[in-house]
Amino acid sequence: MEAEMDNIMVIGATGQIGSELTPALREKYGNESVVATYLLTEEPDEELARGPLEKLNILNRDRMAGLIEKYDIDSVFNLAAILSAKGEKFPAKAFQVNVSGFFDLLELGRKFDLTRIMIPSSIGVFGPEVPTKNAPNETVLRPTSMYGVTKVTDELLGNYYFQKFGLDVRGLRLPGIISSKTLPGGGTTDYAVEVFYEAIKEGHYTFFVREDTTLPLMYMPDCVKSLIDLAEADLDNLEHHCDFNVSSMSFSAGELARKIEEFIPGFTYDFQPDERQEIADSWPNSIDDSPAREEWSWKPNYGLESMVKDMIEKLEAKLQ
Ligand code: AKB
C-alpha cells in the first residue's frame, strides 16, 4: 500500500542533504507542496525560496506543530542532526537535536496522523565489533560515538512507533555523503568533501585521517534518490523500517586523493590524523545492503570515477 505524500515538510532544508533533497522533492511534487524549514542562524538561498519557506528549530515543538497544522503536512523528512565529530564535543546537544527533537516529531506524527516520517540513520550506528567488510544489516549495534548512540536510539524509536502505533517511519543508514552544493559540517567523513574544494582552490589538502582509512561513501544524487525511493516504496514490501543499510562505494582516503590527482595533475596531499580518526576506525569499511536492494530495489548510479569527475566539474564551475 502506497501512502500519498501531498504536503511535505523538510526539517533542515539548508543543510548538506536538505539543500539538495528539497529542490528534488519540489521537482517531483511541486514547489507549493514542499515546505522548506531552516534554523534561524542559517541563510536560505534563492532556490529554497521558490516554495514555502519557514524558520524552525526542531527543539521548538510548538512551532513544529504549528507548521504541520498551517500547511496540512502529511509527510516529514527530518534532516536535522548533529554529526559525529561535533557530537563528541557537544554530547548533550547531540542528544537534544538527534533524539529529543525526533521524539517530539514522532509524537506529533501520532497527534496529526502523519502518513510518513523519513529520517536518515548512519553508518555511525556500527561499532568496532561489527565485521569491517560488508557489515550486515542485522548485527550488534554498539557504537562508540555519541552520534552513533543517538542514531541507534532513533532507529529503535522509529521501529517502535511503527510497530506500536502504526506510524509509518522510515530510515536508512547513510554512508558519508559527498556533495558539491553545501558543505557538510561536524562529520567524520567531511574530509571526502573538503578535499575537492582544497584541491581546486589551493592544489593541496591535508587529510585529518590516515591514508588507509576506508569508509562507505555515497554521492549526493544517489543519497537523494535513496531517500525518495524509500519514502515512495510500497509499505507492504517493507520488512525493515528505520534501519536499512544503503551502500554505494567504498574507498580509502589515499585512493580518493589519487583519483582526484588524475583529474587535477599536480594536486598534492598529506595525512595528519586527528581525533576523528578514532571515530572513523570504529566504523566498517563497507556495508551489505541486501535488504534495501530486495525490499525497495535500491540501486546507486555513481562509482568513484563518475563521482570524482562530476564533483570536479561542478565545483570548478562554482568556484571560478
Ligand atoms: C559523519 O561523518 O558524522 C556523517 C555520517 C557518516 O553519518 N557524515
Side-chain angles (χ1 to χ4, degrees):
M1 184 191 53
E2 280 178 61
E4 294 292 313
M5 293 199 290
D6 292 323
N7 296 315
I8 301 169
M9 180 160 86
V10 179
I11 302 177
T14 46
Q16 186 196 15
I17 298 178
S19 65
E20 301 211 35
L21 177 69
T22 309
L25 286 169
R26 285 185 171 157
E27 178 83 36
K28 252 195 122 164
Y29 291 92
N31 282 347
E32 291 310 311
S33 303
V34 181
V35 182
T37 73
Y38 65 102
L39 272 178
L40 298 171
T41 46
E42 290 167 344
E43 214 28 71
D45 64 12
E46 275 172 26
E47 196 172 23
L48 284 184
R50 286 193 196 135
L53 187 58
E54 297 276 1
K55 291 179 179 167
L56 172 66
N57 181 336
I58 192 166
L59 300 180
N60 188 339
R61 181 192 158 120
D62 291 344
R63 170 105 180 124
M64 187 152 61
L67 291 177
I68 291 173
E69 268 193 302
K70 177 175 172 187
Y71 291 98
D72 195 17
I73 295 297
D74 52 58
S75 305
V76 177
F77 285 72
N78 173 25
L79 303 169
I82 302 290
L83 299 185
S84 55
K86 197 169 171 191
E88 291 309 285
K89 292 199 173 89
F90 306 103
K93 185 90 188 156
F95 186 84
Q96 283 166 350
V97 172
N98 299 2
V99 180
S100 305
F102 179 53
F103 182 76
D104 283 348
L105 174 60
L106 290 172
E107 281 294 298
L108 294 177
R110 285 177 67 196
K111 179 171 176 191
F112 292 104
D113 204 14
L114 297 183
T115 54
R116 176 83 78 263
I117 295 177
M118 293 294 299
I119 176 160
S121 185
S122 161
I123 54 165
V125 297
F126 297 115
E129 296 101 333
V130 163
T132 51
K133 202 166 163 239
N134 287 330
N137 210 97
E138 268 63 58
T139 187
V140 56
L141 297 180
R142 279 197 209 114
T144 49
S145 71
M146 183 63 190
Y147 174 63
V149 170
T150 64
K151 284 290 160 191
V152 173
T153 309
D154 289 346
E155 288 187 359
L156 294 172
L157 280 170
N159 286 337
Y160 174 81
Y161 270 66
F162 174 72
Q163 279 148 18
K164 188 87 183 175
F165 307 116
L167 186 63
D168 192 350
V169 192
R170 303 179 183 189
L172 25 71
R173 294 174 182 152
L174 291 176
I177 304 300
I178 299 173
S179 65
S180 58
K181 186 167 179 190
T182 307
L183 278 164
T188 302
T189 56
D190 291 8
Y191 67 85
V193 183
E194 286 171 11
V195 60
F196 286 93
Y197 282 78
E198 296 306 305
I200 292 168
K201 286 194 300 197
E202 307 294 337
H204 181 82
Y205 182 63
T206 299
F207 285 85
F208 56 75
V209 290
R210 282 190 320 268
E211 180 171 4
D212 65 351
T213 303
T214 302
L215 289 172
L217 293 141
M218 182 184 280
Y219 195 31
M220 183 59 88
D222 280 330
C223 169
V224 167
K225 175 172 137 57
S226 71
L227 283 160
I228 296 181
D229 283 0
L230 176 57
E232 292 179 344
D234 194 329
L235 180 63
D236 295 340
N237 296 336
L238 301 186
E239 278 176 33
H240 297 76
H241 294 274
C242 294
D243 47 11
F244 283 101
N245 281 5
V246 275
S247 177
S248 168
M249 49 184 130
S250 287
F251 46 78
S252 69
E255 282 166 325
L256 175 59
R258 287 188 287 280
K259 185 53 75 181
I260 292 174
E261 198 184 350
E262 284 176 26
F263 288 86
I264 306 178
F267 167 54
T268 56
Y269 44 89
D270 56 6
F271 302 87
Q272 287 177 24
D274 66 14
E275 70 286 351
R276 289 168 279 193
Q277 184 68 57
E278 199 183 323
I279 304 177
D281 287 343
S282 73
W283 293 347
N285 297 345
S286 60
I287 57 176
D288 174 68
D289 59 2
S290 312
R293 289 176 190 255
E294 279 156 25
E295 294 175 37
W296 47 280
S297 309
W298 159 244
K299 195 169 171 297
N301 289 322
Y302 283 84
L304 176 60
E305 175 93 18
S306 51
M307 176 275 289
V308 169
K309 183 171 179 293
D310 200 58
M311 269 297 279
I312 291 176
E313 276 169 17
K314 293 225 161 64
L315 281 183
E316 277 178 344
K318 176 174 154 175
L319 299 174
Q320 75 185 354

